């Protein structure tokens, strides 16, 4: 099929390149000429594992980029809207979605062939039916469901694993305003045989996306709240508690061979210093505000947000147990990215923790295998020392704080072993064995005499 994807950010570019790899003819559209030029040279403007290889393979063959939305819409059968939805801390801003819908509508005015317009960005339920569709009708002077179709197709891509998630999806969800819109989306995705597909209306598709992320975020805040209670009680380790919980066969089923399956989602049922990233905080807050606006407050989600926003402070209170005056104390912050495998530091707990340490006068060294440059943009280059490797970061510090679960931090016990006076390790991810270092503090663990 011929597909145009408007917006070459993380969702748009990954979708466009993967659909091209699957055999569709894709035109990526962006207003930014430099991004378009880069893409046409086979250079992705964002980093995502495997993206460059797929782009290079398909560019000028199955995929090309342009700033010309009109020709892209005229030359294709389906347009996916994948532009950004800026967030003001409470609600998403639909200005780019509205603008693109208006531009597509204006092209549809002059296009005689049927065209399907699909929202791919994450938007609150009702956006496609109540915002996108009326703008398309108004700008085109045509009727949705008659002259053109409208659909919604959420993405379920994890940062760092987006190509894999797109090429080998768990499920494909799409909504449409009528049979024809849905059958075109089914045709677009019939290149994924054997994958569960759920066809529904647009509002439901929008709700599925928010619900999926809210559920995972809720599991994290739930686990953190349990961890906080464990710490308050004392002599209960939340890691052990969660191990016991995970052994429920409904969470980790046992095969007839006796082997226990550990689904990857069980890692969300573990305590830590909180979730971040560009999706969970934004999506949970947006759904919460949406519910409030509709007179259906999301009490659980309110708590999910609150628990998460307080979680980085737990690190500081663990530190406060050992060091009352932070001025001049040498501290290593390990991990700045919101999760391992990415250089994205948006909403990372590393930001409030590092900022509080700096405000209190601590001397901070920070290390992240790949997020150094992103962090320098936030903190500047001279307020703290950005180290290039783990050994440098942990040399001559009194405290080590682990924020991101980067696998290389497993080496910490070995690196500290030879030291006569090793630093205190505060494990924000509970990734180390608590007995592997001399002085250990972790989320959800308080040893009381
Ligand atoms: C999340 C969802 O997992 C994707 O399914 C969804 O498509 C995406 O948002 C989106 O809406 O675009 P992502 O934000 O890339 O993907 O990251 P996750 O790997 O889910 O991590 C989110 C947060 O949860 C991170 O702060 C991470 O540290 C935390 N997390 C993640 C855990 O605490 N435990 C885990 O096992 C995994």
């Amino acid at each position: 099929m011929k597909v145009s994807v408007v917006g070459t950010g993380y969702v748009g570019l990954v979708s466009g390149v993967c659909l091209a790899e699957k055999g569709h003819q894709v035109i990526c559209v962006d207003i930014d000429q430099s991004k378009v030029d880069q893409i046409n040279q086979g250079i992705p403007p964002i980093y995502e594992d495997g993206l460059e290889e797929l782009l290079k393979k398909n560019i000028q063959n199955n995929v090309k980029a342009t700033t010309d939305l009109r020709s892209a819409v005229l030359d294709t059968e389906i347009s996916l809207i994948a532009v950004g939805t800026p967030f003001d801390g409470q609600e998403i801003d639909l200005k780019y979605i509205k603008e693109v819908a208006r531009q597509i509508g204006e092209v549809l005015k002059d296009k005689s062939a049927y065209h399907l317009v699909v929202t791919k960005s994450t938007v609150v339920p009702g956006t496609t039916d109540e915002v996108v569709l009326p703008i398309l009708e108004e700008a085109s002077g045509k009727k949705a469901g008659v002259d053109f179709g409208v659909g919604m197709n959420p993405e379920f891509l994890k940062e760092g694993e987006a190509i894999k998630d797109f090429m080998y999806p768990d499920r494909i969800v799409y909504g449409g305003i009528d049979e024809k819109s849905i059958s075109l989306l089914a045709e677009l995705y019939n290149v994924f045989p054997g994958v569960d597909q759920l066809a529904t209306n647009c509002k439901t598709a929008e709700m599925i996306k928010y619900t999926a992320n809210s559920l995972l975020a809720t599991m994290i805040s739930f686990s953190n709240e349990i961890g906080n209670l464990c710490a308050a009680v004392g002599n209960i380790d939340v890691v052990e508690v969660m191990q016991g919980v995970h052994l429920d066969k409904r969470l980790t089923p046992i095969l007839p061979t006796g082997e226990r399956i550990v689904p990857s989602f069980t890692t969300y049922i573990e305590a830590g210093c909180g979730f971040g990233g560009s999706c969970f905080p934004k999506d949970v807050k947006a759904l919460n505000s949406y519910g409030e606006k509709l007179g259906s407050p999301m009490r659980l989600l309110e708590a999910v947000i609150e628990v998460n926003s307080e979680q980085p402070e737990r690190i500081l209170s663990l530190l406060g147990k050992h060091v009352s005056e932070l001025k001049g104390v040498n501290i290593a912050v390990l991990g700045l990215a919101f999760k391992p495998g990415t250089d994205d530091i948006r909403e990372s707990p590393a930001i409030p923790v590092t900022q509080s340490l700096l405000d209190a006068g601590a001397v901070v060294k920070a290390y992240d295998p790949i997020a150094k440059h992103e962090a320098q943009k936030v903190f500047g280059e001279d307020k703290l020392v950005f180290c290039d490797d783990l050994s440098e970061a942990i040399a001559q510090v009194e405290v080590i704080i682990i924020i991101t679960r980067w696998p290389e931090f497993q080496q910490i016990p070995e690196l500290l072993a030879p030291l006569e006076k090793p630093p205190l390790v505060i494990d924000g991810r509970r990734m180390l064995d608590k007995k592997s270092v001399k002085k250990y503090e972790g989320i959800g663990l308080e040893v009381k005499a």
Side-chain angles (χ1 to χ4, degrees):
M1 292 179 100
K2 292 182 165 181
V3 190
S4 41
V5 183
V6 188
T8 62
Y10 161 73
V11 174
L13 189 59
V14 169
S15 306
V17 170
C18 290
L19 288 170
E21 171 69 10
K22 282 286 186 182
H24 293 299
Q25 291 292 320
V26 179
I27 306 177
C28 292
V29 183
D30 205 290
I31 47 167
D32 185 335
Q33 184 69 52
S34 64
K35 277 190 186 172
V36 165
D37 292 342
Q38 269 185 291
I39 294 167
N40 283 328
Q41 287 161 25
I43 305 162
I46 52 149
Y47 178 78
E48 188 59 49
D49 196 24
L51 178 59
E52 184 161 359
E53 194 188 329
L54 275 197
L55 177 62
K56 284 203 158 66
K57 186 174 159 203
N58 288 286
I59 196 70
Q60 302 308 352
N61 180 21
N62 280 355
V63 64
K64 63 176 182 183
T66 180
T67 53
D68 186 355
L69 180 128
R70 171 164 284 268
S71 66
V73 173
L74 289 173
D75 288 350
T76 54
E77 306 150 78
I78 302 184
S79 294
L80 306 180
I81 303 178
V83 290
T85 51
F87 188 56
D88 68 2
Q90 282 220 304
E91 289 177 22
I92 53 167
D93 185 343
L94 298 175
K95 65 181 172 192
Y96 299 123
I97 300 230
K98 288 179 181 168
E99 178 56 22
V100 168
R102 190 188 57 74
Q103 289 176 14
I104 295 176
E106 279 166 8
V107 183
L108 295 185
K109 186 158 59 180
D110 307 323
K111 184 173 179 179
S112 49
Y114 183 89
H115 195 88
L116 175 68
V117 184
V118 180
T119 314
K120 187 115 187 93
S121 310
T122 300
V123 289
V124 293
T127 303
T128 303
D129 289 347
E130 291 151 29
V131 178
V132 176
L133 186 152
I135 294 175
L136 289 167
E137 284 190 331
E138 199 193 316
S140 65
K142 292 184 174 177
K143 189 97 193 90
V146 179
D147 306 304
F148 63 90
V150 178
M152 200 285 150
N153 168 220
E155 57 81 19
F156 299 101
L157 312 175
K158 293 188 285 301
E159 259 187 70
E161 296 173 59
I163 299 290
K164 189 172 90 216
D165 287 343
F166 200 101
M167 298 301 284
Y168 305 97
D170 313 339
R171 75 300 215 185
I172 295 167
V173 172
Y174 42 80
I177 55 161
D178 56 8
E179 285 293 323
K180 194 167 176 183
S181 304
I182 288 180
S183 70
L184 274 174
L185 279 161
E187 197 184 328
L188 178 70
Y189 284 109
N190 74 9
V191 291
F192 293 94
V195 176
D196 285 328
Q197 302 200 9
L198 195 149
T200 180
N201 60 29
C202 297
K203 271 187 191 173
T204 308
E206 288 159 340
M207 190 60 142
I208 288 171
K209 166 70 195 210
Y210 273 109
T211 306
N213 275 0
S214 298
L215 172 66
L216 294 174
T218 301
M219 292 201 301
I220 295 174
S221 277
F222 166 78
S223 309
N224 286 339
E225 197 158 61
I226 294 287
N228 296 340
L229 181 61
C230 292
V233 176
N235 297 336
I236 306 179
D237 187 347
V238 71
V239 169
E240 220 178 309
V241 171
M242 290 310 176
Q243 274 167 1
V245 172
H246 288 186
L247 285 172
D248 184 327
K249 270 194 275 191
R250 289 166 298 184
L251 293 176
T252 53
I254 298 178
L255 294 176
T257 57
E259 188 197 344
R260 193 181 278 273
I261 306 286
V262 183
S264 61
F265 84 91
T266 52
T267 58
Y268 291 84
I269 318 176
E270 279 170 10
C273 55
F275 61 77
S278 61
C279 304
F280 283 5
K282 176 176 172 180
D283 292 355
V284 176
K285 285 176 192 163
L287 191 60
N288 184 44
S289 303
Y290 176 73
E292 209 168 276
K293 227 171 160 179
L294 285 182
S296 181
M298 309 292 288
R299 286 187 287 264
L300 209 49
L301 293 189
E302 266 170 40
V304 168
I305 297 163
E306 207 176 312
V307 169
N308 194 58
S309 69
E310 289 169 8
Q311 208 58 14
E313 289 164 25
R314 299 270 155 184
I315 297 276
L316 300 165
S317 50
L318 288 173
L319 176 60
K321 275 172 61 184
H322 298 261
V323 189
S324 50
E325 171 58 58
L326 285 175
K327 201 166 169 41
V329 176
N330 293 295
I331 300 177
V333 174
L334 301 183
L336 300 162
F338 82 95
K339 66 170 187 178
T342 176
D343 67 351
D344 194 342
I345 67 159
R346 282 178 288 177
E347 303 275 335
S348 169
I351 299 174
V353 169
T354 307
Q355 195 55 59
S356 301
L357 297 176
L358 292 173
D359 291 346
V363 181
V364 180
K365 290 203 272 180
Y367 169 66
D368 188 287
I370 60 174
K372 174 176 169 178
H373 295 292
E374 290 305 309
Q376 280 174 335
K377 286 185 204 162
V378 172
F379 292 107
E381 290 181 29
D382 49 0
K383 292 201 185 66
L384 59 156
V385 177
F386 289 96
C387 299
D388 289 319
D389 64 50
L390 177 60
S391 308
E392 183 193 346
I394 64 175
Q396 270 134 35
V397 291
E398 287 114 87
V399 184
I400 291 173
I401 299 177
I402 301 174
I403 301 284
T404 318
R405 190 187 276 270
W406 284 104
E408 70 176 271
F409 299 159
Q410 296 287 0
Q411 302 165 36
I412 291 170
E414 201 183 316
L415 293 170
L416 298 185
L419 302 184
E420 216 168 276
K421 272 184 73 187
L424 163 71
V425 176
I426 300 180
D427 188 350
R429 294 294 170 190
R430 298 305 311 273
M431 64 180 286
L432 301 182
D433 176 350
K434 61 189 173 195
K435 298 205 175 80
S436 64
V437 293
K438 210 164 172 185
K439 289 201 279 176
Y440 181 92
E441 286 284 359
I443 294 283
L445 170 72
E446 175 108 5
V447 181
K448 293 202 168 154

